[in-house]
Amino acid sequence: MIGIKDLYSVLTAVVPLYVTMFLAYASVKWWNIFTPEQCAGINRFVAIFAVPLLSFEFVSRINPYKMDLLFLAADGVSKILILVVLLCWANFSKTGSLDWSITLFSLSTLPNTLVMGIPLLKSMYGDDKEYLMIQVVVLQCIIWYTLLLFLFEYRETRTSVFSKFKESSFSLPEREKENFKGTEEKLGGNCSSEDEVINVIATTPSSQQTAQNVNKIAPDQSQRFKPMVAASVEGEGKELHLFIWRCACCISPGTCESVQAGQREESSGKAVASEKQGDVENASIPSSLSSAMLLKILRKVWFKLVRNPNSYSSLLGLSWALVSCRWDIKKPQIMENSVTILSSAGLGMAMFSLGLFMALQPRIIACGKKLALYGMLARFITGPALMAIASIVVGLRGTTLKVSIVQAALPQGIVPFVFSREYNLHPDVLSTAVIFGMIVSLPITVLYYILLGI
């Protein structure tokens, strides 16, 4: 049972984090020491240097030959189950969102096991269960933080590619610019090193002129446009939309382009966008993602991950742990000190960055009460429930089952917030989850402990 001494050990691990966060908050809110640009630089230091070295230092100290594989399997199954459900929601539901899938995955699966989990569960279930928490932290660093980083990079690259798609679209609404001259020069001129998508909107004063312009752009596929051209010139005030995909290998117009055409009608008095035209524009995006575009995005993600030290710091730590435990090799003292001088500041600097972010927001609950409530539900209800299901499925029983459920009800991890701020994806939600999660986590985990002991 948890005693006063155990409670004090938990507080000694948590209170210093809040002191660091308060100092950072005060330095911006009241003392005006840091500018927003400097705050962003501090968070980048944490993301690029402190967190990777902290992961390496922690992982390199474990013994990978003495892992509880059943416990780790339950943890892995629960996270994979949540990830699959969220990705299906993002891809097959009209209300789905990749951005929110990443955030909800962070909220429901990545607890603060290192700071609060180890002292709290050690006091609840004894010293022999401390190593289970260490194994969870190691698995987070090696697999789940790397996967989270991949999702962030994929989302950022995908957004960048789609923004280029929109920027490369242009229209020629004026009747004196109907000759497509600029488009012909773009298609037949200098060869670009990247794929391009061009959206051309041209009003049509005559069907003959429109047909000639279409044939100039895509002479090899002119047959495909005859029905669309005929439909576009039936009445006044109608426009022809051309979506032209030009890959990097194009050297002349009409060689590699695949052209999609769509039309929209405008009323004579008001310019009203047609829903049908919107469907055509949206349909062009997944068609390009299906093959060449998806491959291009994944290639860019790979290059970004290779340059990011968070991708391989844990793998290097695991490699060293395997060698060290197999042949009893110790790290040289120079190497040990070079790593620990920065890794020891990892958690403190992460909380400092959190305090800076809070101070830059107009209110303490930056995401609002509704989103804060949803975040708490994902953290303290959804995560433990799915962990319980996964643990029972893989065969965990007894005290180990209770440990797996309670550790899933720990507060939100700090590292996911650092990543969310670095990639600017719902950092307000993650910051609120970290701050208030650590406040309410102690009574919640004690409640889980009591209920599981009945």
Side-chain angles (χ1 to χ4, degrees), residues 159-193:
T159 304
S160 175
V161 169
F162 283 173
S163 65
K164 289 182 180 179
F165 172 86
K166 294 178 180 179
E167 290 174 2
S168 64
S169 302
F170 64 92
S171 62
L172 301 174
E174 300 178 6
R175 293 184 179 272
E176 60 269 19
K177 295 182 180 180
E178 295 164 358
N179 55 10
F180 292 88
K181 183 176 180 180
T183 306
E184 293 179 46
E185 292 177 356
K186 188 172 183 66
L187 290 173
N190 296 331
C191 185
S192 174
S193 61

Side-chain angles (χ1 to χ4, degrees), residues 348-416:
M349 289 301 298
M351 290 300 295
F352 195 85
S353 176
L354 177 59
L356 295 176
F357 176 80
M358 284 179 54
L360 294 173
Q361 306 306 308
R363 51 188 179 181
I364 295 180
I365 305 180
C367 63
K369 296 179 181 179
K370 186 176 181 180
L371 287 179
L373 178 61
Y374 289 157
M376 295 297 104
L377 291 176
R379 173 69 267 151
F380 296 112
I381 302 297
T382 305
L386 291 177
M387 185 65 186
I389 295 173
S391 301
I392 294 173
V393 168
V394 301
L396 286 184
R397 298 293 184 272
T399 305
T400 307
L401 174 62
K402 298 176 182 179
V403 171
S404 67
I405 297 174
V406 173
Q407 68 87 22
L410 293 170
Q412 177 62 39
I414 303 173
V415 174

Side-chain angles (χ1 to χ4, degrees), residues 16-31:
L17 297 178
Y18 276 98
V19 172
T20 305
M21 184 182 67
F22 174 78
L23 290 175
Y25 182 87
S27 65
V28 174
K29 200 73 172 180
W30 301 317
W31 304 332

Side-chain angles (χ1 to χ4, degrees), residues 38 42 86 117 181 317 364 368:
Q38 291 170 336
I42 292 174
L86 290 174
K181 183 176 180 180
I364 295 180

Side-chain angles (χ1 to χ4, degrees), residues 49 58 90 120 306 320 343 365 393 426:
F49 289 101
F58 196 84
L120 186 59
V306 169
W320 177 263
S343 65
I365 305 180
V393 168
H426 303 140

